[in-house]
Amino acid sequence: MAAACSRNHHRESRHSALGLFSAGNNMSCKSLWTLALLALTLSRCVADDDHEMEEFLKREYSLSKPYQGVGSLGSSHWELMGDAMVTTEQVRLTPDMQSRQGAVWGRMPCHLKDWEMQVHFKIHGKGKKNLNGDGLAIWYTKERTQKGPVFGNMDNFTGLGVFVDTYPNEEKQLEAQKKRYSPRTQRIFPFVLAMVGNGSISYDHERDGRPTELGGCNAMVRNLKHDTFLFIRYVRRRLTVMIDIDGQHEWRDCLDIPGVRLPEGYYFGATAVTGDLSDNHDIISLKLYQLTVLRSKKEEQEEEEDQITIPSVDNMDLLRLELVEERMSGVAIFFTVLFSMLGFIFLIVIGLVVYSHWNERRRKRFY
Ligand SMILES: *[C@@H]1O[C@H](CO)[C@@H](O)[C@H](O)[C@H]1NC(C)=O
Ligand SMILES: *[C@@H]1O[C@H](CO)[C@@H](O)[C@H](O)[C@H]1NC(C)=O
């Protein structure tokens, strides 16, 4: 537990998001806050996802300076492909030039059950906003070193992809976009999203992966002076993606989905691609932590019996529906209110007609 508390500056610094530091100047107040903060930090470490967790950096799945032997044959845990290049400062997947693609792939399959990857990356280039592209992706897949159309990786991949998509293919046609989505449902780019493939699910490039999206968030990551991070955690079949892009050392939630089934023994990798538009896509480090999660006997048994061989997401249809509904709700509310009002007016009119009819007949009876 000590490891989880002391090592991860990011997780600790999340607490400052609560704004406790900004409180009060006087001394006793300050110490009170410190105590409160301490208590919070401690309880958070113990009760992360209600389970005690330890984490260990796994060097064989991590990539960091000085990138010793990266790219040279056989002497490293990482293999370079395409236009990727190593410098002293970064692994540059693509330079800021048209039609490039590059990748770095781990050589060792990962057999950890629960893990967390912290990606230190940088996307920058000369292009103005929306005149840059296309983005980078982080992978945990069965296949490795394949080239293709999904951010430089093959389509119909098997496993997990987390994309930092910097160019809106669909949204570029603003008019089409307005027709299809209400303001609330529009995605603002750059956009971070996750997808799980099973070998026969195609990434819809024209629609920026919308049909297969598990969730995502906007992330203004280009041309920033401070460091930018992506965090991918996979614990007890729960996938969590967070970003730290504001230079505040705070993780911001991006997506969090239970029931994500990923087999063990897949490969980590990072890829990037440029087209007519370009950017430098740099990986500064990939740090993979093994998480040790305590499981009950029953849970262990269940997982033993329920071996995962093909990646999938529980209740994917429901999830899609929720995403669509969430995105639809603005329009839906408008029409619900409109039709309710129309219905109400209709009822009143009918009522009035019936009443006047009845009134007339009654009057006639009196004569
Ligand atoms: C992959 O997922 C699709 C869509 O959910 C499904 O139709 C297909 O059967 C799955 N393929 C495998 C091999 O499980
Ligand atoms: C991907 O899978 C889809 C549907 O299973 C198929 O139509 C398509 O040809 C496949 N694409 C590739 C590149 O294998």
Side-chain angles (χ1 to χ4, degrees):
M1 198 201 83
C5 286
S6 59
R7 191 206 50 75
N8 189 336
H9 80 281
H10 273 104
R11 185 160 308 148
E12 277 176 330
S13 55
R14 275 186 84 194
H15 303 305
S16 58
L18 299 172
L20 291 179
F21 278 126
S22 59
N25 277 331
N26 87 45
M27 217 30 223
S28 65
C29 190
K30 226 181 201 171
S31 53
L32 247 178
W33 280 118
T34 313
L35 260 179
L37 192 74
L38 198 70
L40 248 166
T41 311
L42 282 178
S43 65
R44 171 111 196 150
C45 276
V46 175
D48 212 330
D49 295 334
D50 303 327
H51 293 273
E52 214 171 285
M53 258 195 300
E54 287 184 43
E55 25 185 291
F56 301 98
L57 181 70
K58 302 297 275 187
R59 303 216 170 269
E60 61 270 42
Y61 308 120
S62 297
L63 173 71
S64 57
K65 285 180 199 175
Y67 315 114
Q68 219 145 28
V70 171
S72 56
L73 269 176
S75 64
S76 156
H77 296 304
W78 294 90
E79 186 173 341
L80 288 190
M81 277 183 61
D83 299 304
M85 268 181 52
V86 182
T87 72
T88 53
E89 295 303 312
Q90 74 258 321
V91 175
R92 179 152 292 173
L93 298 174
T94 73
D96 189 4
M97 287 188 260
Q98 289 184 335
S99 308
R100 303 298 160 110
Q101 63 180 42
V104 59
W105 282 99
R107 289 185 206 271
M108 307 252 293
C110 174
H111 289 281
L112 303 175
K113 242 189 198 153
D114 304 287
W115 48 266
E116 174 179 305
M117 179 173 272
Q118 293 185 15
V119 183
H120 184 181
F121 69 101
K122 194 172 172 73
I123 300 178
H124 55 117
K126 288 199 280 291
K128 291 207 171 64
K129 189 173 173 348
N130 286 337
L131 288 174
N132 67 285
D134 283 327
L136 65 78
I138 306 296
W139 302 95
Y140 173 72
T141 51
K142 184 176 172 183
E143 306 87 4
R144 60 189 290 278
T145 68
Q146 306 284 316
K147 273 192 174 181
V150 190
F151 297 92
N153 193 12
M154 62 182 278
D155 198 7
N156 296 357
F157 59 87
T158 314
L160 170 70
V162 177
F163 312 140
V164 183
D165 191 347
T166 57
Y167 185 72
N169 287 295
E170 183 178 35
E171 269 84 348
K172 81 183 162 203
Q173 293 138 340
L174 255 187
E175 285 314 304
Q177 156 97 5
K178 272 186 190 139
K179 265 179 224 148
R180 199 176 295 167
Y181 308 110
S182 75
R184 273 196 58 204
T185 69
Q186 281 179 31
R187 305 199 291 196
I188 299 166
F189 280 70
F191 195 78
V192 175
L193 68 154
M195 167 178 173
V196 167
N198 65 8
S200 57
I201 300 178
S202 191
Y203 171 81
D204 189 340
H205 197 265
E206 291 309 305
R207 297 193 56 202
D208 302 302
R210 249 184 216 268
T212 48
E213 175 194 335
L214 295 182
C217 61
N218 157 250
M220 293 301 184
V221 293
R222 278 192 80 232
N223 289 340
L224 295 177
K225 291 230 159 48
H226 52 258
D227 294 331
T228 47
F229 300 88
L230 188 64
F231 168 106
I232 304 163
R233 186 205 274 161
Y234 183 64
V235 174
R236 311 162 139 259
R237 301 184 178 173
R238 184 175 200 101
L239 175 70
T240 308
V241 175
M242 294 193 270
I243 52 176
D244 170 4
I245 58 168
D246 302 321
Q248 306 286 321
H249 290 294
E250 279 169 25
W251 291 115
R252 175 147 67 83
D253 294 335
C254 187
L255 65 97
D256 184 31
I257 302 159
V260 176
R261 295 159 184 272
L262 298 173
E264 290 167 29
Y266 282 10
Y267 299 94
F268 288 110
T271 66
V273 70
T274 66
D276 291 341
L277 302 166
S278 65
D279 256 336
N280 296 299
H281 294 101
D282 299 343
I283 297 288
I284 293 145
S285 67
L286 299 172
K287 289 191 177 151
L288 196 280
Y289 295 94
Q290 173 178 18
L291 303 178
T292 310
V293 182
L294 292 182
R295 287 178 164 78
S296 66
K297 276 258 155 19
K298 190 163 153 273
E299 280 175 318
E300 266 177 18
Q301 226 164 21
E302 275 172 8
E303 284 183 17
E304 204 90 330
E305 282 163 15
D306 186 18
Q307 284 282 349
I308 305 167
T309 50
I310 299 169
S312 66
V313 180
D314 293 352
N315 303 317
M316 186 62 193
D317 296 339
L318 259 169
L319 194 71
R320 294 293 320 149
L321 210 67
E322 264 169 36
L323 272 181
V324 169
E325 259 170 20
E326 191 182 303
R327 296 197 161 140
M328 272 301 294
S329 61
V331 183
I333 287 171
F334 174 76
F335 280 110
T336 309
V337 169
L338 185 72
F339 282 120
S340 313
M341 278 170 67
L342 283 179
F344 194 62
I345 290 169
F346 184 70
L347 278 180
I348 288 176
V349 169
I350 295 268
L352 281 176
V353 167
V354 167
Y355 177 76
S356 62
H357 208 74
W358 176 76
N359 229 359
E360 215 158 285
R361 278 181 53 185
R362 201 178 54 161
R363 240 183 291 145
K364 272 188 193 144
R365 242 187 286 141
F366 277 121
Y367 290 118

